[in-house]
Structure formats: C-alpha cells, structure tokens
Amino acid sequence: MNGATAITRPFPYLLLPTLWATRNRARRRERGDGARAFVFGGIGLGVMAALFSGSFWVTWQAAQYAELGDYLIRIGLSWLFLTFLSFVAFSAIVASLSTFFLSDDLRLVMAAPVASRRLFFARFARTVAQSGWMVVVFLLPVLAGTAFAKCASWWFVVTATITVVPFVVIPVALGSAVTLLLVNVFPARRARDILMLMGLVFAVSIVLLLRFIQPERLLRVESMPEVTDFFSTLQSPITPLLPSFWAGEALFAGLQNGRDLLHIAALWSTAAAAVIVVGWAFERWHFTGFSKAQEARKARFTQWRVLDQLANLLPISQVKKHLLIKDLKVFLRDVSQWSQLLLLMALVMVYLYNFRVLDLERIPYMSGFLKNVYAFLNLAMAGFVMSTVTVRFVFPAVSAEGAAFWIIRTAPISLKDFLWSKFWTGLVPVLVLTEILIVAGNNLLGVDPFLKQLSAFAVVFMAFALVGLACGLGARYPRFAADNPSQVAGSYGGIAFMILAVLFILVMIVLLGWPSSVYLFAIFRGRTLTTGQEIFIAVMFTAAAILSIATWLLGMRAGVRALQEMDRTPS
C-alpha cells in the first residue's frame, strides 16, 4: 500500500463500520435486552455510587488532618494512577492483539488501498477505547467524590479531562508496542495465549499478596509502631519518572485550585511522542506480524491419549464416552477458558485463608454461636460460588457447540445423551470445588459436627440442582452465534438462571437453617427434642431434598425438550 494509491479520507472514516455496527445492534432489540440493561445498569450505578461515597468519605476524613491529610491524598492519587497505569498497559496488550492482528475485518482492510498510517490511527483509536473505557468509568466517581470533599472549583473538571486523556494514551501506546514485538517473535494466537496466562498469574499474585500481608493488622493497637514503616513502603514505588506521578501531581494541584502546567505538558508531550514512535514501528513491522497471525493453531490436546485412556475406564456407553472426550478437549484447547481456573483457585485460597485468620475466640461468650452462624454463611457463600461457576462454565456448554451443533443434530446421537453428557462433565468439578470450600471452611471454623455433616450433604443436593438448572436453561436459551462464553452468560437465559439460582440458595438456607437452629438450641440447653420438633426437622430437611431433586430433574427435562423441539440452529 503506497501513499499514491491510498485513500485520502481521514482515519476516522475507517471507524464508521464499527460505529454503524454498534448503532445497528442497539436498534435490533433482542429478548432479554431490557432485563440485561436493568440488572447490569443497576449494578454499575451501585458500584459507581459506592466508589463515589468511599472516595468522598476517605478524602473528608483525611482533610481533617491538614498537612498529613494532604500528604495522604497526594500519595493516594499517585497510587491510584499507578494501579490504573499497569492495568491499562496490560489491557492494551491484549486488546491490540485483536484490533491490529486478529480482527475479522483486517483481511478486507489490508487488501484495500488504505495508507498504513491511517490504518494505524484507526486501529489505535479502537484500542484506546477498548482499553481505557473501564478506567475512565472507575476514575469518574472516585475523582468526583474527591473533588466534592475538597470543594474543588470548576477548573478541576478541566484539569481532570486534560490529564486523563494523555494518561490513557501512554500505556496503550506502550502495550501496542509490546504486542508488535511479541507478534513478530511468536505467532499472534500463541502470543495471546501467553499473555492471558501472564495476566492471570499477575492477577493471582496481586490477590494473594494483598491478602497474605494482612492489612487488618494496622487496625490493632499493638501494631501502631508498624504504621511509619507502612507509609514508607507506600512511598517507595512512587517515582517522578512515571506518568502516574505526573497525573497525580496535576490533579492534586487542581484540588488545591491551582494549575500544574509542567506535569500536564509532560503527559501530552509523552503521549504524542509515544504515538508517533509506535506508528512508525507499525508501518515498518505490522504486515510481517499480520502474516504470522494467519497461521493455524496446532492441535495439541487432540493428540492426548491420556484423556481417551481415562475415559475408557468409566462405565459408560461409547457415545457418552466420546462426547465426554470431545468436551474435555474443546475446553482444554481454549486457553481463555481453563486459565480462568487459576484465578478461581486463588480466590478459593483467599476465601479459606480468611476463615483461618478469623479470630472468634476473642468473643468467648459468643464464639460458639458465631461459629454456627458462620457455618451457614459459608454454605450460602459456597452456593453463590457454585452458581457463579455454573453460569460461567456450565450454562454456555450447549452454546459452545456453535455452528457445529448441526453435526450433533444429524449424528446418530440422542439429544438426551448429549445434554446429560454436558451435565456430568460440569457436575464433577463444581461438586469437588464446593465440597472443598465447605469441608475446609467448616474445619477451620470448628463448627458443630452436626453442621459439618449437614453442609456436606446439602452441597451435593445443591450441586445437582444448580448444574441441572444451568444445563436446562442453557439448552432452552442457547446463543450459538456468540463470540465467547461471557456473552452467553450475560444473555437473557444467563440472567434468568442467576435469579433462579439466588432464589433457590436462599430457600435452601431457610429450609436447612431453621430446623438446624432448633436442634442446636436444644443441644445447647441440654434438652431433648420433642416429637413435634423432630417431625418439623424431618419435614424441612425432606422439603430441601425434594426441592433440589425437582429443580435438577425438571431443569434437565425442560432442556432436553427444548433441544428436541428446536427446528433450526438459533442465533
């Protein structure tokens, strides 16, 4: 593509297809759009309100301590932007892989008479939008709360705008340059897998680090000598050479009704220089990396004989055996799927570690009561974790077949066997995970043995019910045209499943908690249960079991019926 034959329109013209696609998607109403907008819009507004309230309260409290408060606000702004700097940079690395190398429309655009510099600016603008929108959404309520607490003037709005824009551009340019380097060294699809693993390892490390340093120790009186060391540690990563420091200083000056033109100029000049340098590099090496991105994946897991050997040990038919092997291999092929298990395991470790450091013995007269209350809280949390895992991994199982679902429809395989294969594939890991949470959590709490056994049995029934409900609703509301499982989980059927799952968990807690409290109070007072109490406990436990079994079987039956009545592959 040389400049003589390239189109002369400015680069925003190349963004029109994206804008038109977004407009058409907004005009094309689908089932569940209203419910999805209501649920996620409400959650978003709630999060923004919490961020605004939290930043307002923290700034208001810090402002009561004059110079010390200003010092804390200054450090807080630098840390806030330092955190967002790393997040935006990594997000830009992943996003630029798609926008510059893996996007479906690139083959058409690369063959068109489009100047490489215009193509770079158009793709770079998309990368900035995809990588920076979440940071802007989170920064907006935080900065607004800080400004209200400090009674900042209208000039702070201008300062925040001209500060955030170049701040977002700088890490995006850096991430795009790293992507260009990686793609020219590795194939683009393998580079994406590597980056996903690196990102999850980074997230896991941050989660574990923040939890294991036990910041709650600073709230103890005996830990006061450690406060000065804590502030020294906070100051150590902040350096005047980073854009996060420049942004923090510019906004702090805006809070004081001043203007820090030096750091604002540093942000804009660095952003302009970064875009120019990265643009030149893309003109030089982008086509080479794009050519490498066209390489096909290597089918590693399809050659794993271990999965076939393990499946042959199971006492199931050959049809179910091959469906199981297919689901496992498809799952292992997608790094974005199984790599999320790393983050899930990190959250499980933090969850159990919280129970380990929970010191209920400091309340001697209430420790036994609190332990039993926490046992049901542990059961409820395990149920919510179970519902989250099932909506992410089990609910999209049918939709994950995509356009290849017609092969299942035309193959000599009953749709009942197909859906039950999805059920058993999802049940085993979900049940093992939640049993580990329940058993380990209750052992760390030291709850009553009766509650240990009750919780362990309850999780089995809840796992069957939630996995069956997820499979059934996933078959009833499939989205075979979805690009990734996250879109399926956020669809109308996914929202309906989460609502039903939460209601089911709450009803189960009532059905199990009420009779258990009757039993435990009788044991605590040294009394025997009356005949009426025994009947009441048996009825409530039986009702919980019937509810779980009915949810499981009715969900699966509805799913099988929906698949059998399907006359075409829906979109």
Side-chain angles (χ1 to χ4, degrees):
M1 294 183 296
N2 53 52
T5 59
I7 63 174
T8 58
R9 292 178 180 269
F11 77 89
Y13 182 78
L14 297 175
L15 297 176
L16 287 180
T18 302
L19 298 178
W20 288 339
T22 304
R23 180 198 61 186
N24 294 336
R25 174 62 183 88
R27 290 178 177 178
R28 188 178 69 250
R29 305 285 296 178
E30 293 183 357
R31 184 178 184 182
D33 281 353
R36 187 160 53 248
F38 177 79
V39 172
F40 290 111
I43 294 174
L45 291 176
V47 171
M48 293 183 71
L51 290 174
F52 176 86
S53 302
S55 61
F56 179 87
W57 183 84
V58 170
T59 306
W60 180 269
Q61 295 297 321
Q64 309 300 317
Y65 297 96
E67 294 182 0
L68 176 60
D70 288 341
Y71 171 76
L72 293 177
I73 294 173
R74 199 170 187 174
I75 289 182
L77 287 173
S78 296
W79 263 100
L80 177 68
F81 280 95
L82 180 62
T83 304
F84 283 137
L85 182 71
S86 59
F87 284 154
V88 174
F90 186 82
S91 178
I93 294 175
V94 178
S96 59
L97 267 174
S98 175
T99 56
F100 282 102
F101 299 101
L102 300 178
S103 183
D104 293 334
D105 61 344
L106 271 175
R107 296 183 181 180
L108 176 63
V109 176
M110 292 293 291
V114 179
S116 56
R117 182 166 291 272
R118 289 191 176 91
L119 175 61
F120 164 74
F121 282 126
R123 296 289 157 167
F124 186 78
R126 286 182 57 179
T127 307
V128 170
Q130 293 180 12
S131 305
W133 72 269
M134 187 172 293
V135 170
V136 174
V137 168
F138 275 93
L139 271 178
L140 181 62
V142 173
L143 296 181
T146 304
F148 270 93
K150 293 289 290 183
C151 299
S153 65
W154 63 270
W155 178 253
F156 180 78
V157 179
V158 179
T159 303
T161 303
I162 62 178
T163 298
V164 172
V165 171
F167 172 78
V168 172
V169 170
I170 293 173
V172 172
L174 177 62
S176 301
V178 172
T179 298
L180 180 63
L181 175 63
L182 287 175
V183 170
N184 278 273
V185 175
F186 304 101
R189 302 183 189 279
R190 184 177 298 181
R192 182 178 60 180
D193 297 344
I194 295 173
L195 288 172
M196 284 185 176
L197 286 176
M198 289 174 57
L200 285 169
V201 170
F202 173 75
V204 168
S205 303
I206 293 296
V207 170
L208 295 179
L209 176 64
L210 290 178
R211 189 60 199 93
F212 290 152
I213 61 176
Q214 299 183 29
E216 68 273 8
R217 292 180 302 172
L218 296 175
L219 301 178
R220 302 174 186 172
V221 177
E222 60 270 19
S223 300
M224 289 304 294
E226 301 178 7
V227 174
T228 55
D229 296 335
F230 179 73
F231 284 119
S232 300
T233 304
L234 283 181
Q235 183 69 34
S236 57
I238 299 175
T239 170
L241 301 178
L242 289 177
S244 56
F245 177 81
W246 307 339
E249 291 296 303
L251 288 176
F252 182 76
L255 290 174
Q256 305 296 325
N257 296 324
R259 303 179 185 180
D260 190 351
L261 299 180
L262 176 63
H263 288 109
I264 293 176
L267 284 168
W268 279 98
S269 59
T270 304
V275 172
I276 292 173
V277 172
V278 175
W280 172 83
F282 265 85
E283 286 188 52
R284 175 67 179 82
W285 291 295
H286 175 255
F287 186 77
T288 304
F290 175 75
S291 300
K292 291 185 177 181
Q294 308 311 306
E295 297 179 7
R297 287 178 177 269
K298 292 183 178 180
R300 298 181 182 88
F301 293 106
T302 55
Q303 301 175 359
W304 270 27
R305 300 303 178 190
V306 178
L307 297 178
D308 301 80
Q309 295 172 359
L310 292 176
N312 289 330
L313 300 177
L314 299 177
I316 56 179
S317 64
Q318 288 294 325
V319 172
K320 296 179 181 179
K321 192 177 302 181
H322 286 295
L323 288 174
L324 174 63
I325 294 173
K326 177 190 71 69
D327 291 337
L328 290 176
K329 290 184 177 180
V330 170
F331 179 78
L332 292 174
R333 277 199 205 115
D334 193 351
V335 178
S336 62
Q337 288 273 59
W338 61 263
S339 58
Q340 295 183 21
L341 297 177
L342 297 175
L343 184 59
L344 181 62
M345 295 306 299
L347 295 177
V348 168
M349 293 176 62
V350 172
Y351 179 84
L352 295 177
Y353 184 78
N354 288 333
F355 282 116
R356 181 178 179 274
V357 299
L358 191 62
D359 191 8
L360 296 179
E361 300 299 334
R362 299 179 68 178
I363 314 177
Y365 299 103
M366 297 288 292
S367 61
F369 172 76
L370 289 178
K371 287 179 180 179
N372 295 330
V373 170
Y374 271 104
F376 282 100
L377 179 62
N378 185 27
L379 180 60
M381 293 300 296
F384 291 135
V385 170
M386 189 190 309
S387 61
T388 303
V389 174
T390 50
V391 77
R392 178 60 184 82
F393 294 101
V394 180
F395 180 83
V398 174
S399 301
E401 299 293 332
F405 181 69
W406 70 270
I407 299 178
I408 301 295
R409 300 271 324 267
T410 57
I413 300 174
S414 70
L415 294 177
K416 182 178 180 180
D417 289 341
F418 167 75
L419 191 61
W420 277 98
S421 172
K422 301 290 185 183
F423 171 81
W424 294 113
T425 304
L427 175 67
V428 175
V430 169
L431 180 58
V432 171
L433 172 65
T434 47
E435 280 290 358
I436 291 175
L437 288 178
I438 283 294
V439 174
N442 287 339
N443 284 332
L444 292 173
L445 286 171
V447 302
D448 188 87
F450 169 76
L451 290 184
K452 289 183 180 180
Q453 299 176 9
L454 176 66
S455 300
F457 280 108
V459 162
V460 175
F461 283 91
M462 292 171 66
F464 272 83
L466 290 178
V467 174
L469 183 63
C471 284
L473 289 179
R476 189 173 183 82
Y477 303 104
R479 291 189 63 181
F480 294 106
D483 295 330
N484 56 72
S486 299
Q487 294 181 357
V488 181
S491 64
Y492 172 79
I495 296 175
F497 167 75
M498 287 302 298
I499 295 174
L500 292 176
V502 171
L503 292 177
F504 169 78
I505 293 169
L506 293 178
V507 172
M508 286 292 291
I509 294 299
V510 173
L511 293 177
L512 297 174
W514 191 359
S516 298
S517 63
V518 173
Y519 172 80
L520 292 174
F521 274 118
I523 298 300
F524 178 75
R525 295 172 182 173
R527 301 175 182 175
T528 58
L529 293 172
T530 64
T531 304
Q533 290 176 331
E534 292 179 349
I535 295 175
F536 170 73
I537 292 174
V539 169
M540 295 293 281
F541 285 169
T542 303
I546 293 175
L547 175 63
S548 300
I549 296 173
T551 304
W552 166 39
L553 295 180
L554 291 177
M556 292 298 298
R557 184 177 300 175
V560 173
R561 187 183 305 114
L563 292 179
Q564 292 173 345
E565 294 175 354
M566 192 181 301
D567 57 351
R568 64 182 180 89
T569 301
S571 58

